[in-house]
Amino acid sequence: MTPIALIEAAATALWVYAVLTFAHWVVLSARLDRRQHIPALAELLGHLVPAMILLVLTVLAGALIGLPSVVALIALLFPAGLAFGTHMALSEADPPPPVGHTHARLALTLLLAAAIIYRRQIT
């Protein structure tokens, strides 16, 4: 397996986890009172901003230093930042989801990511 294939597989798993955590966050936010929707969104953005700042700093450092592999870092940092931000927003929700939901989300992530990677290899 080539390094590019490993990066692509890791990025796929991170994207799947980010989508699943965001979907769970949307479900939890929909259950809140209507007046709590904007604060919930502001909290989610507060968790996403530091990850995106790290992404921008990585791009700037790669441009200044001239790293050719900065694209590989971006391919991993962007979905990782989204996954981290949505996961943290979920973990700080009131009430936080049970640990079983997190384990189920991780299992579903592995299953879906494996199916997507397998499908890409076939076509």
Side-chain angles (χ1 to χ4, degrees):
M1 197 171 211
T2 65
I4 297 296
L6 288 174
I7 290 170
E8 183 180 343
T12 300
L14 288 167
W15 274 112
V16 170
Y17 187 74
V19 167
L20 290 176
T21 53
F22 182 72
H24 195 175
W25 178 85
V26 167
V27 168
L28 287 180
S29 296
R31 292 181 185 164
L32 294 173
D33 291 339
R34 188 176 173 128
R35 60 187 164 92
Q36 295 293 337
H37 289 177
I38 299 298
L41 181 63
E43 183 181 353
L44 174 65
L45 291 176
H47 290 293
L48 292 175
V49 166
M52 295 307 120
I53 289 173
L54 176 66
L55 180 68
V56 169
L57 290 177
T58 303
V59 170
L60 289 175
L64 288 174
I65 298 172
L67 294 175
S69 62
V70 76
V71 174
L73 287 173
I74 294 168
L76 289 174
L77 282 177
F78 188 74
L82 290 175
F84 176 76
T86 53
H87 178 81
M88 291 305 295
L90 275 181
S91 67
E92 292 181 3
D94 188 31
V99 176
H101 286 194
T102 304
H103 293 304
R105 200 168 43 251
L106 285 172
L108 186 59
T109 297
L110 292 176
L111 184 70
L112 288 173
I116 291 169
I117 293 167
Y118 179 73
R119 178 75 177 147
R120 281 189 197 160
Q121 297 300 321
I122 290 177
T123 57

